[in-house]
Structures are given as C-alpha cells and as structure tokens.
Amino acid sequence: MHVIGTAGHVDHGKSSLVQALTGTNPDRWLEEQVRGMTLDLGFAHLRFDDGLEAGIVDVPGHERFLHNMLAGAAGMEVLLLVVAADDGVMPQTAEHLQILRFLNVKRTIVALTKIDLLAPQDVDPARLRVREELQGTIAAGAPIVAVSAATGAHLPALKEALHDALVSLPARESDAPAYLPVDRVFALPGRGTIVTGTLMQGRITVGDTIAIAPPGTRARVRSLQVFGAAREAATGGTRVALNLPGVERTQIARGAVVADPSFTARCQFSVRFESLPEAQALLRRRTPVRAYIGSAEILGTLVFDATVRLLLREPVLAFPGVRFVVRRVSPKTLLGGGEIVAYTDERTEAPPSAHGAILEHLVRSGLEPQDVASVAFAANVREEIAQHGLDDLVERGEAVALAKPRGYLDAHAFAQFSTRIAGELTALHETEPWAMGTTSLALARALRVNEGLLVRLLNALVEDGRISQRHGYFAATGHQPKLSAEQRAFFEHHVPLESSDPFRPVAFDDVAANVKSATIEGLAKAFDTLLARGVLIKVGDALYRGAQIERAHERIEAFIAGHGRMTMAEFRDVLGTSRKYAVPLLEWFDARGITVRSGDYRMLRKRG
Ligand SMILES: Nc1nc2c(ncn2[C@@H]2O[C@H](COP(=O)(O)OP(=O)(O)OP(=O)(O)O)[C@@H](O)[C@H]2O)c(=O)[nH]1
Ligand SMILES: [Mg+2]
C-alpha cells in the first residue's frame, strides 16, 4: 500500500479536496472546523472501485504549522499538490515543494482546484501559468487536473490520476525491519495507548515485540488496525494504528519511532546533505539546526568536515537511507536536506546520563558560562568526568567552550546570542557604514549584558569566524567601512597630498580640531576608521597618508640596499623633508621593526 500526501498554500482547498475524494473531513479538531483552517495533520482513506486503497495525509498550509506538515511529510510517496486556480503558486506551495524534494515523494499529481471560481475560458490559461510556476520543482511536468471540490467537477479524473500514480509505484520493502514514525498518540478507555503512523517499511504482526524510541522501551502489539478495521498484520506503505498496552500515554509522543527491536537510537550520523542554494550563506562549519527525521523534530548540529555529520541532542531511531530536512534554529529558515549514510557514534543507547545532566545544567544556565567545578557539582559527578563530558559535548557541537577563564555554554543559547549580535552589528553597519564596527562596551550597553561576559562571548564568536575583530572593533564578518562623499571630501581637503612636497605631513591636532568642529555626520568615527585601517597614520605630532609612509618605506629600502646603511641626514635628504619630521618618522620605522639602529646608522632589520 502507499500513502498520498497533500501539500499547498493555506486555504487553497487541500482539506476540502480530501473530503470530496474520501468523504472524510481530515480536519478532525473542533478548533480546525471552527476556524476553517488545518492546524495539524489529518488522515483519510481513499478506496478505488477496483479495490486499490491508499492512506491520505492532509497537511496544514499555514506557515505557522509547518512543523506539523514536516511531521507528516516523510511518509508521502504520492504528492497531491493542491493549487487554487484563482490564486496560483504561493509561498507555502513553493516551500512545501522544497521540503518534499528531500524526502520520499516518487509521483506528483497537481490538483488545480476551485475552478468553479473561474470563467470556463480562464481555466486553461490558469493551468498553463501553474505549469510554468512549477518549473524547477519536483512538480515540474506532473499531470495537472483541474477540479472543484465545491461542485465535484472532474473529481473522477483526479481520482484516476491518483490511481495511475499509485499502481506505477514500486512495492514497498516488506522484508526490511519494521520502521514506523509515530504521528499520533491517544488512549482509549479499557484499551490503553494507541499510536498511529505510516509503516515506512517492513511488517508488523499482532503479538510482535517492538521497540519504541524514545523512551527506549519495548512493547507487545496487542492489536492492529488499518483504516479502522482490525487486521492480523500490516506491511510497508500502510497507515497503521497499534494498540500498545503497558505503555503509558505520557511516555510516548509524536516523533517517537516504533520499530523492529534490532534497531537502536543514535545521536550521530554521517549524512549526504544538499543545501538549498539560497541557504548556502547561512551554513557554518558547525551549524545549529532543527532536524526533521521521520515525524520528529530534534535540535542538533550539522558539521561540515571531510564528511558532513548530523549530531543530535537526543537519540533518534534512524538508519542509512532515512531522509531528513533541516531548518535553522531561529529564524526557522529551510536550509536543506538529505539522507543518513552511516552511524558515527559507537554508542548504542542514549548518551551516558552524565551528559544529560551536564547539558541540562548548561541549558539552565543560559548565557552564564559554567566552569568545570560548577558543572561537576550540578551533575553530581567527579570533575574529571565532568571535564570529559564537557569535551565530548563541545566536540559534538552541543556546548561551546569559552577562554579566559575557561567556561562552558549551551550551544543553542550561544547560537541565539550570536544571531542577536549579528543582527545588532548588521543594523549598526547600515546606520554607520563608515565605522569600523563597535566596541564591546557599546555593544554591552545596547544588549544590556555585562561587558566582561560579553567580551568572552564575542571572542568565541570571532574564533568561530561568525564576526570579526579589528583594532578593538567588532564587526560583521566581511564588513568594509565606507566613507560618505562628504567625509571623503573633508579628508581630501584637510590631509592633502602636495606633489611639490610629497612627504609633507599635516599637524594631527589641526585635523582633529577640524573633525571636532565640522558638522559632517559621523566624521569622528570616519576619522577613527581611516586611522585604524592605516589610510591615515599618526607619527609623532604629524599626520601622514598611508601612501606617503609606503613610499618613504620604499625609499629607505632602496637606499640601504645600495649603500648598506643610512644616517638620519641621509634619510632626511632622501625624503626631501626636514629634521623635524625625519626624526620621528625614522623612529616610527624603528618601532615597526623595519629599520634597526646601530650607533648613528640605520640598517634594514633582517627578515625571518
Ligand atoms: N469555491 C470553492 N471553494 C473552495 C473549494 N475548495 C475549498 N474551498 C473553500 O476554500 C476554503 C479553504 O478550504 P480548505 O479545504 O480548508 O483549504 P486548505 O488548503 O485545507 O487550508 P489549510 O489546511 O488551512 O491550509 C474554504 O472556505 C473552502 O470552502 C472549491 O473547489 N471551490
Ligand atoms: Mg486544510
């Protein structure tokens, strides 16, 4: 059997179409029916005249409920993409398609619905437009059936298209071990806990012992239903309800997996990962993510080394070939998806309990770095065990180590903080493009955090390459200060280059006074930027342009190369300047390790 899944923009008519096709309203919650909007996954059963059957998973279109759509998306093999004829392809139509390209969809049928709202002659143009808008997606080239759930027009044609798609699918593997991501859990009086989900592969028979993870327990299947009817067994591709007595309703939730007991839950996987082109700029060597695997949403880190690894905060029961999707932690931008290739942890169970206690302590501490002693105390373990656990968590990308003094933070708190910092810096660069960035003190004030702590956090961000630090200023990575036209004109005027006297500087104090009295916006910061970047250089009381210093440097090197050494008088003559400027300038070169003094002479400092 196979599962059909709906997808499409909010209000485009997905649930209405499922009801029209099956007679079941997939909006099973009262709130959904009152609001006329799908909030959570809905389920229905499609029966064909020839006895063929399929399960339908209906998803919410509203972007706020995308996590629910994701919980149902992995089970879909036939996609019923619903596009309202009066609206066309909209943002969530596109987003759903992007998600599904990473998962298990093998056939797509497009329902161009609500055609009763269009004049008959407008239906074909609408179909052409949608065909064009779907170019480059997994729905490109899919059959487009124009229908109306309201009038029932062409529903038989849609049903036939779905039938064709279903029968053309390869059969699911039933020899494989059972794997069923749980999407619904409820309890029935006198029966106990019932879980439902799409059996992705394998076979489950009444009486089987199955593993449930989390919580990592086992249970016996007391009874089993398919489409509301009791069965002895179910095979891959079937929507199944399992009665699991002895398992508390509260022990198990959507996201859990019911599977063959030979499987164990793991935290670390090597993966094949494909990023969405527009998400590439958001990926770092270690990128905190929300991973969607089966019906679960789990926080973790995507690590790009020689291979790509997915390190999860909680163990998940998955195995090579299982597909996944990842989103950013916040905002929840879709990043990409892929397939699990192998396990990379030898751990067969959840991480040692100390890890959990350590991480919990870090999570509770938020942005307050914790030292080993306080972690050991909180987790009630010896310090060396705490240290070992912390090192492991850092390696797995779940904790971040800060220096001076050594301290540890929860990686997700740190990631959120780094998003805040990046936002603050970007806003700052927009309002003051001429500034190098900002100081830790100014940032601490803006963010209302303690400066000492902030500096440690900033240093960790710099080390990660998430922000940059130059000359005491913090800036977004890649920020290049740019002066305004007025600022540039000011410095052209006040620090002139005279061709008749190319090494003549201006008095630093004069320029500083003019900067102060001028009314040009941001001038003082622009001045700082020019000094920090060496466009202007202060030597003693004098202010030079960087280009002048560079040329002076060249002349010194050329002279000493020819003469072996150079006196102060020679230096003055070479530059055609006066002693007043020559002395501080040569001392400046001494201080930078370009020249070295020996008695009355300067030589070039030997390199290396
Ligand atoms: N005229 C007309 N209205 C329709 C048709 N199909 C659905 N509608 C109306 O469109 C609105 C949205 O329909 P739903 O089926 O709830 O849409 P949905 O895609 O399931 O919405 P979400 O699940 O919230 O994303 C409702 O008011 C329906 O009555 C149709 O074929 N013709
Ligand atoms: Mg709906």
Side-chain angles (χ1 to χ4, degrees):
M1 237 188 276
H2 300 283
V3 170
I4 300 170
T6 65
H9 198 69
V10 63
D11 261 356
H12 272 201
K14 297 176 288 299
S15 302
S16 304
L17 207 50
V18 170
Q19 175 150 28
L21 285 169
T22 66
T24 305
N25 182 357
D27 287 343
R28 52 204 165 93
W29 304 108
L30 183 63
E31 197 192 346
E32 294 180 317
Q33 291 170 6
V34 171
R35 287 171 67 177
M37 177 194 267
T38 307
L39 313 177
D40 198 358
L41 298 174
F43 307 96
H45 172 203
L46 184 59
R47 237 184 283 258
F48 296 90
D49 295 338
D50 62 356
L52 185 72
E53 293 178 304
I56 301 188
V57 175
D58 180 44
V59 305
H62 198 288
E63 60 177 328
R64 257 189 59 210
F65 306 112
L66 193 70
H67 58 283
N68 288 336
M69 179 272 172
L70 281 157
M76 302 175 178
E77 275 190 293
V78 173
L79 168 63
L80 174 57
L81 182 73
V82 179
V83 182
D86 60 334
D87 211 15
V89 169
M90 295 298 280
Q92 265 60 55
T93 323
E95 187 169 37
H96 288 181
L97 288 171
Q98 279 187 322
I99 286 168
L100 290 164
R101 71 179 252 214
F102 297 115
L103 300 175
N104 302 302
V105 169
K106 298 197 177 62
R107 302 277 185 277
T108 300
I109 307 291
V110 181
L112 183 70
T113 190
K114 303 199 189 184
I115 55 163
D116 57 293
L117 297 178
L118 261 50
Q121 69 273 18
D122 291 339
V123 173
D124 272 337
R127 185 205 305 269
L128 282 176
R129 207 181 54 235
V130 167
R131 157 108 32 243
E132 220 152 78
E133 288 168 334
L134 292 175
Q135 282 307 319
T137 73
I138 57 165
I144 300 182
V145 187
V147 295
S148 164
T151 65
H154 308 305
L155 286 182
L158 179 59
K159 224 174 148 179
E160 197 180 312
L162 290 170
H163 185 279
D164 288 352
L166 288 165
V167 295
S168 74
L169 286 174
R172 295 250 194 170
E173 270 211 68
S174 56
D175 287 343
Y179 168 65
L180 180 149
V182 172
D183 47 40
R184 215 159 34 124
V185 183
F186 53 92
L188 287 182
R191 306 284 304 272
T193 301
I194 315 275
V195 303
T196 73
T198 301
L199 181 57
M200 303 279 282
Q201 62 171 40
R203 182 186 178 87
I204 296 180
T205 307
V206 171
D208 277 356
T209 297
I210 43 94
I212 312 169
T217 52
R218 295 192 176 186
R220 260 167 69 86
V221 178
R222 180 154 73 192
S223 63
L224 183 158
Q225 286 194 351
V226 177
F227 302 134
R231 298 275 176 92
E232 252 323 284
T235 53
T238 313
R239 297 262 337 142
V240 189
L242 301 174
N243 181 203
L244 304 173
V247 180
E248 285 296 319
R249 156 82 188 82
T250 50
Q251 268 185 297
I252 180 168
R254 170 177 293 172
V257 172
V258 165
D260 187 278
S262 63
F263 284 128
T264 40
R266 318 263 181 156
C267 287
Q268 308 191 13
F269 302 92
S270 71
V271 299
R272 192 182 54 67
F273 176 75
E274 194 187 329
S275 74
L276 292 172
E278 59 273 28
Q280 231 140 43
L282 302 172
L283 297 172
R284 303 280 172 273
R285 202 176 80 78
R286 292 180 158 279
T287 306
V289 294
R290 289 168 196 277
Y292 298 85
I293 307 178
S295 53
E297 171 181 338
I298 305 176
L299 290 171
T301 308
L302 208 50
V303 182
F304 299 90
D305 281 328
T307 58
V308 187
R309 283 180 301 151
L310 181 61
L311 313 181
L312 300 173
R313 267 198 175 188
E314 288 149 43
V316 68
L317 203 156
F319 47 89
V322 168
R323 308 285 178 92
F324 65 90
V325 168
V326 295
R327 291 206 281 170
R328 266 178 111 179
V329 173
S330 163
K332 300 175 189 170
T333 323
L334 186 65
L335 295 174
E339 182 178 325
I340 285 172
V341 174
Y343 309 120
T344 55
D345 55 349
E346 283 315 306
R347 242 188 303 279
T348 51
E349 291 302 329
S353 59
H355 281 52
I358 291 169
L359 193 55
E360 217 171 273
H361 177 62
L362 294 184
V363 169
R364 257 199 318 270
S365 309
L367 279 179
E368 285 295 321
Q370 300 297 305
D371 61 12
V372 178
S374 65
V375 167
F377 179 76
N380 194 26
V381 292
R382 279 182 290 124
E383 276 196 23
E384 63 197 78
I385 303 226
Q387 185 63 65
H388 184 80
L390 285 166
D391 291 346
D392 201 29
L393 289 170
V394 168
E395 165 59 27
R396 283 163 41 182
E398 310 212 356
V400 174
L402 301 184
K404 297 180 198 164
R406 196 133 192 92
Y408 296 87
L409 287 178
D410 164 42
H412 288 273
F414 182 70
Q416 273 178 355
F417 168 78
S418 102
T419 306
R420 253 177 91 197
I421 294 283
E424 189 70 29
L425 290 177
T426 308
L428 194 102
H429 297 329
E430 263 164 33
T431 49
E432 295 185 337
W434 47 80
M436 288 291 286
T438 182
T439 61
S440 55
L441 182 63
L443 258 184
R445 286 204 182 123
L447 298 170
R448 295 162 192 274
V449 291
N450 166 289
E451 196 201 350
L453 167 64
L454 182 70
V455 168
R456 295 170 70 201
L457 295 171
L458 289 172
N459 287 337
L461 288 176
V462 170
E463 198 154 297
D464 262 15
R466 298 195 208 199
I467 62 172
S468 72
Q469 181 188 22
R470 272 186 301 183
H471 310 283
Y473 295 99
F474 293 96
T477 310
H479 167 63
Q480 295 293 348
K482 251 187 88 193
L483 268 56
S484 69
E486 275 184 305
Q487 293 166 348
R488 250 180 292 129
F490 174 93
F491 290 106
E492 286 295 338
H493 178 73
H494 287 91
V495 193
L497 250 191
E498 285 178 34
S499 50
S500 60
D501 194 356
F503 290 101
R504 197 189 147 84
V506 295
F508 179 87
D509 285 348
D510 290 351
V511 179
N514 282 319
V515 165
K516 224 171 169 181
S517 61
T519 52
I520 299 170
E521 190 193 359
L523 198 59
K525 285 194 178 165
F527 190 31
D528 284 345
T529 296
L530 295 177
L531 289 167
R533 309 206 77 188
V535 177
L536 299 179
I537 298 176
K538 181 175 186 289
V539 178
D541 300 329
L543 184 65
Y544 290 88
R545 289 191 176 207
Q548 291 175 297
I549 301 284
E550 231 165 81
R551 230 168 307 125
H553 184 175
E554 282 163 16
R555 293 218 184 162
I556 295 172
E557 282 200 330
F559 186 91
I560 301 181
H563 299 79
R565 57 191 194 177
M566 181 174 72
T567 65
M568 178 63 74
E570 285 166 337
F571 176 60
R572 187 196 58 205
D573 295 343
V574 162
L575 296 195
T577 182
S578 67
R579 194 177 158 75
K580 172 181 159 196
Y581 296 129
V583 172
L585 205 48
L586 201 46
E587 281 168 1
W588 188 88
F589 281 114
D590 287 343
R592 300 241 153 4
I594 290 162
T595 49
V596 52
R597 186 172 183 163
S598 160
D600 285 339
Y601 297 99
R602 250 64 174 207
M603 260 92 72
L604 290 178
R605 186 181 285 270
K606 301 251 179 325
R607 294 273 150 74

